Amino acid sequence: MRDFALGLAFAILGAAIIAIAKDFPTVGNLEYGASLFPVITGSGMLACGALLAARNALPALRALRGAGAAPLRPHLGRLARLALPCVLVVLYIYGNERIGSAPAMFLLMLVLFRAGAVRWRVALPVSLGAAVVIYLAFTRLLAVPLPAGLLGF
């Protein structure tokens, strides 16, 4: 039942991303623009969510017909772990101007790794390396200016 609901939610979210991204402007005479990556992401979410929902539709229907409505008591730790990425993205959006994009990415990944019980000796270098690679890819390869923040990079 849970997988069916998650699949349905992902499919709906993917469709919403596609619908919103269709209004993004194109660049010059090109056929693509700012909507390209959101549409690709939304399409993947829509397809995978629909597949997950379809795969679990029959077991979900059987569960609804069979057992009575059991009260759902979500575990607080699971809810917190589920909400953590969303909270971190919001903090990144509002905090990357102050502390800089690269340090914000590093901290975001480090917190996510540690929340997933990844050891410090793995979490620190991977977070640092990923933040540096992403920062260099955006600033050097894509020529997208990222907020410098307190440290100047």
Side-chain angles (χ1 to χ4, degrees):
M1 179 74 178
R2 199 176 302 165
D3 289 340
F4 173 75
L6 281 174
L8 202 58
F10 266 84
I12 291 169
L13 186 61
I17 289 171
I18 293 169
I20 292 169
K22 288 292 183 182
D23 293 333
F24 290 178
T26 57
V27 179
N29 294 333
L30 300 174
E31 292 182 23
Y32 59 88
S35 68
L36 179 65
F37 290 117
V39 167
I40 291 171
T41 303
S43 299
M45 288 178 67
L46 176 62
C48 292
L51 182 65
L52 185 62
R55 187 172 178 197
N56 292 288
L58 285 177
L61 285 174
R62 287 184 190 133
L64 284 176
R65 285 186 193 153
L72 295 175
R73 295 184 185 148
H75 189 263
L76 189 60
R78 289 182 184 168
L79 285 177
R81 208 172 309 134
L82 247 167
L84 182 63
C86 299
V87 170
L88 288 174
V89 167
V90 170
L91 289 174
Y92 175 82
I93 290 169
Y94 290 109
N96 91 18
E97 291 286 335
R98 288 192 179 112
I99 67 169
S101 198
M105 282 186 275
F106 168 73
L107 291 172
L108 184 140
M109 285 184 274
L110 184 64
V111 169
L112 286 175
F113 279 138
R114 291 298 299 150
V118 176
R119 289 189 213 122
W120 282 104
R121 67 180 180 172
V122 174
L124 280 170
V126 171
S127 298
L128 182 63
V132 169
V133 167
I134 293 168
Y135 180 80
L136 291 175
F138 274 91
T139 57
R140 303 288 188 254
L141 295 175
L142 299 173
V144 175
L146 295 176
L150 298 173
L151 301 177
F153 62 89

PDB file of all heavy atoms in Angstrom, residues 26-42:
ATOM      1  N   THR A  26      12.536  29.894 -23.668  1.00  0.00           N
ATOM      2  CA  THR A  26      13.622  29.288 -24.437  1.00  0.00           C
ATOM      3  C   THR A  26      14.729  30.320 -24.613  1.00  0.00           C
ATOM      4  O   THR A  26      14.538  31.503 -24.362  1.00  0.00           O
ATOM      5  CB  THR A  26      13.139  28.813 -25.817  1.00  0.00           C
ATOM      6  OG1 THR A  26      12.575  29.929 -26.492  1.00  0.00           O
ATOM      7  CG2 THR A  26      12.108  27.711 -25.686  1.00  0.00           C
ATOM      8  N   VAL A  27      15.876  29.874 -25.066  1.00  0.00           N
ATOM      9  CA  VAL A  27      17.024  30.753 -25.236  1.00  0.00           C
ATOM     10  C   VAL A  27      17.206  31.034 -26.720  1.00  0.00           C
ATOM     11  O   VAL A  27      17.533  30.123 -27.492  1.00  0.00           O
ATOM     12  CB  VAL A  27      18.294  30.100 -24.644  1.00  0.00           C
ATOM     13  CG1 VAL A  27      19.500  30.997 -24.845  1.00  0.00           C
ATOM     14  CG2 VAL A  27      18.098  29.776 -23.183  1.00  0.00           C
ATOM     15  N   GLY A  28      16.997  32.272 -27.120  1.00  0.00           N
ATOM     16  CA  GLY A  28      17.211  32.668 -28.514  1.00  0.00           C
ATOM     17  C   GLY A  28      16.406  31.821 -29.485  1.00  0.00           C
ATOM     18  O   GLY A  28      15.206  31.632 -29.320  1.00  0.00           O
ATOM     19  N   ASN A  29      17.077  31.323 -30.511  1.00  0.00           N
ATOM     20  CA  ASN A  29      16.420  30.515 -31.535  1.00  0.00           C
ATOM     21  C   ASN A  29      16.467  29.022 -31.232  1.00  0.00           C
ATOM     22  O   ASN A  29      16.078  28.213 -32.067  1.00  0.00           O
ATOM     23  CB  ASN A  29      17.069  30.769 -32.903  1.00  0.00           C
ATOM     24  CG  ASN A  29      16.829  32.180 -33.391  1.00  0.00           C
ATOM     25  OD1 ASN A  29      15.825  32.786 -33.013  1.00  0.00           O
ATOM     26  ND2 ASN A  29      17.729  32.698 -34.198  1.00  0.00           N
ATOM     27  N   LEU A  30      16.983  28.654 -30.076  1.00  0.00           N
ATOM     28  CA  LEU A  30      17.091  27.250 -29.715  1.00  0.00           C
ATOM     29  C   LEU A  30      15.711  26.678 -29.368  1.00  0.00           C
ATOM     30  O   LEU A  30      14.827  27.382 -28.927  1.00  0.00           O
ATOM     31  CB  LEU A  30      18.029  27.068 -28.523  1.00  0.00           C
ATOM     32  CG  LEU A  30      19.461  27.538 -28.737  1.00  0.00           C
ATOM     33  CD1 LEU A  30      20.240  27.425 -27.439  1.00  0.00           C
ATOM     34  CD2 LEU A  30      20.131  26.707 -29.815  1.00  0.00           C
ATOM     35  N   GLU A  31      15.547  25.384 -29.581  1.00  0.00           N
ATOM     36  CA  GLU A  31      14.287  24.732 -29.260  1.00  0.00           C
ATOM     37  C   GLU A  31      14.193  24.360 -27.787  1.00  0.00           C
ATOM     38  O   GLU A  31      13.149  23.916 -27.332  1.00  0.00           O
ATOM     39  CB  GLU A  31      14.119  23.473 -30.109  1.00  0.00           C
ATOM     40  CG  GLU A  31      13.927  23.776 -31.576  1.00  0.00           C
ATOM     41  CD  GLU A  31      13.711  22.511 -32.383  1.00  0.00           C
ATOM     42  OE1 GLU A  31      13.291  21.493 -31.803  1.00  0.00           O
ATOM     43  OE2 GLU A  31      13.961  22.550 -33.582  1.00  0.00           O
ATOM     44  N   TYR A  32      15.271  24.487 -27.068  1.00  0.00           N
ATOM     45  CA  TYR A  32      15.261  24.145 -25.657  1.00  0.00           C
ATOM     46  C   TYR A  32      15.742  25.337 -24.860  1.00  0.00           C
ATOM     47  O   TYR A  32      16.304  26.281 -25.393  1.00  0.00           O
ATOM     48  CB  TYR A  32      16.135  22.921 -25.372  1.00  0.00           C
ATOM     49  CG  TYR A  32      17.577  23.094 -25.782  1.00  0.00           C
ATOM     50  CD1 TYR A  32      18.490  23.651 -24.909  1.00  0.00           C
ATOM     51  CD2 TYR A  32      18.013  22.724 -27.044  1.00  0.00           C
ATOM     52  CE1 TYR A  32      19.808  23.833 -25.274  1.00  0.00           C
ATOM     53  CE2 TYR A  32      19.329  22.900 -27.416  1.00  0.00           C
ATOM     54  CZ  TYR A  32      20.221  23.446 -26.535  1.00  0.00           C
ATOM     55  OH  TYR A  32      21.517  23.629 -26.895  1.00  0.00           O
ATOM     56  N   GLY A  33      15.482  25.294 -23.587  1.00  0.00           N
ATOM     57  CA  GLY A  33      15.902  26.386 -22.719  1.00  0.00           C
ATOM     58  C   GLY A  33      15.946  25.922 -21.287  1.00  0.00           C
ATOM     59  O   GLY A  33      16.361  24.797 -20.990  1.00  0.00           O
ATOM     60  N   ALA A  34      15.452  26.770 -20.408  1.00  0.00           N
ATOM     61  CA  ALA A  34      15.494  26.474 -18.980  1.00  0.00           C
ATOM     62  C   ALA A  34      14.596  25.300 -18.604  1.00  0.00           C
ATOM     63  O   ALA A  34      14.754  24.717 -17.539  1.00  0.00           O
ATOM     64  CB  ALA A  34      15.072  27.708 -18.195  1.00  0.00           C
ATOM     65  N   SER A  35      13.681  24.934 -19.480  1.00  0.00           N
ATOM     66  CA  SER A  35      12.751  23.851 -19.157  1.00  0.00           C
ATOM     67  C   SER A  35      13.312  22.454 -19.426  1.00  0.00           C
ATOM     68  O   SER A  35      12.718  21.464 -19.013  1.00  0.00           O
ATOM     69  CB  SER A  35      11.463  24.020 -19.961  1.00  0.00           C
ATOM     70  OG  SER A  35      11.709  23.816 -21.341  1.00  0.00           O
ATOM     71  N   LEU A  36      14.440  22.361 -20.098  1.00  0.00           N
ATOM     72  CA  LEU A  36      14.949  21.061 -20.525  1.00  0.00           C
ATOM     73  C   LEU A  36      15.164  20.094 -19.358  1.00  0.00           C
ATOM     74  O   LEU A  36      14.595  18.994 -19.342  1.00  0.00           O
ATOM     75  CB  LEU A  36      16.255  21.225 -21.307  1.00  0.00           C
ATOM     76  CG  LEU A  36      16.899  19.920 -21.778  1.00  0.00           C
ATOM     77  CD1 LEU A  36      16.009  19.227 -22.783  1.00  0.00           C
ATOM     78  CD2 LEU A  36      18.268  20.178 -22.353  1.00  0.00           C
ATOM     79  N   PHE A  37      15.962  20.469 -18.385  1.00  0.00           N
ATOM     80  CA  PHE A  37      16.271  19.556 -17.288  1.00  0.00           C
ATOM     81  C   PHE A  37      15.071  19.305 -16.372  1.00  0.00           C
ATOM     82  O   PHE A  37      14.863  18.163 -15.947  1.00  0.00           O
ATOM     83  CB  PHE A  37      17.499  20.019 -16.517  1.00  0.00           C
ATOM     84  CG  PHE A  37      18.756  19.869 -17.312  1.00  0.00           C
ATOM     85  CD1 PHE A  37      19.512  20.973 -17.653  1.00  0.00           C
ATOM     86  CD2 PHE A  37      19.180  18.624 -17.751  1.00  0.00           C
ATOM     87  CE1 PHE A  37      20.669  20.846 -18.404  1.00  0.00           C
ATOM     88  CE2 PHE A  37      20.331  18.483 -18.501  1.00  0.00           C
ATOM     89  CZ  PHE A  37      21.078  19.597 -18.836  1.00  0.00           C
ATOM     90  N   PRO A  38      14.253  20.315 -16.046  1.00  0.00           N
ATOM     91  CA  PRO A  38      13.053  20.000 -15.263  1.00  0.00           C
ATOM     92  C   PRO A  38      12.101  19.044 -15.990  1.00  0.00           C
ATOM     93  O   PRO A  38      11.499  18.172 -15.352  1.00  0.00           O
ATOM     94  CB  PRO A  38      12.399  21.363 -15.036  1.00  0.00           C
ATOM     95  CG  PRO A  38      13.502  22.333 -15.123  1.00  0.00           C
ATOM     96  CD  PRO A  38      14.459  21.773 -16.136  1.00  0.00           C
ATOM     97  N   VAL A  39      11.970  19.181 -17.307  1.00  0.00           N
ATOM     98  CA  VAL A  39      11.094  18.272 -18.045  1.00  0.00           C
ATOM     99  C   VAL A  39      11.667  16.858 -18.052  1.00  0.00           C
ATOM    100  O   VAL A  39      10.934  15.872 -17.890  1.00  0.00           O
ATOM    101  CB  VAL A  39      10.848  18.787 -19.486  1.00  0.00           C
ATOM    102  CG1 VAL A  39      10.208  17.718 -20.354  1.00  0.00           C
ATOM    103  CG2 VAL A  39       9.983  20.031 -19.459  1.00  0.00           C
ATOM    104  N   ILE A  40      12.980  16.741 -18.196  1.00  0.00           N
ATOM    105  CA  ILE A  40      13.611  15.411 -18.141  1.00  0.00           C
ATOM    106  C   ILE A  40      13.418  14.793 -16.757  1.00  0.00           C
ATOM    107  O   ILE A  40      13.044  13.623 -16.628  1.00  0.00           O
ATOM    108  CB  ILE A  40      15.112  15.509 -18.498  1.00  0.00           C
ATOM    109  CG1 ILE A  40      15.279  15.857 -19.976  1.00  0.00           C
ATOM    110  CG2 ILE A  40      15.833  14.208 -18.169  1.00  0.00           C
ATOM    111  CD1 ILE A  40      16.699  16.187 -20.373  1.00  0.00           C
ATOM    112  N   THR A  41      13.647  15.578 -15.717  1.00  0.00           N
ATOM    113  CA  THR A  41      13.467  15.090 -14.347  1.00  0.00           C
ATOM    114  C   THR A  41      12.014  14.718 -14.086  1.00  0.00           C
ATOM    115  O   THR A  41      11.724  13.660 -13.525  1.00  0.00           O
ATOM    116  CB  THR A  41      13.932  16.154 -13.335  1.00  0.00           C
ATOM    117  OG1 THR A  41      15.285  16.490 -13.608  1.00  0.00           O
ATOM    118  CG2 THR A  41      13.796  15.662 -11.916  1.00  0.00           C
ATOM    119  N   GLY A  42      11.091  15.594 -14.479  1.00  0.00           N
ATOM    120  CA  GLY A  42       9.667  15.323 -14.288  1.00  0.00           C
ATOM    121  C   GLY A  42       9.213  14.092 -15.047  1.00  0.00           C
ATOM    122  O   GLY A  42       8.403  13.304 -14.549  1.00  0.00           O
TER     123      GLY A  42
END
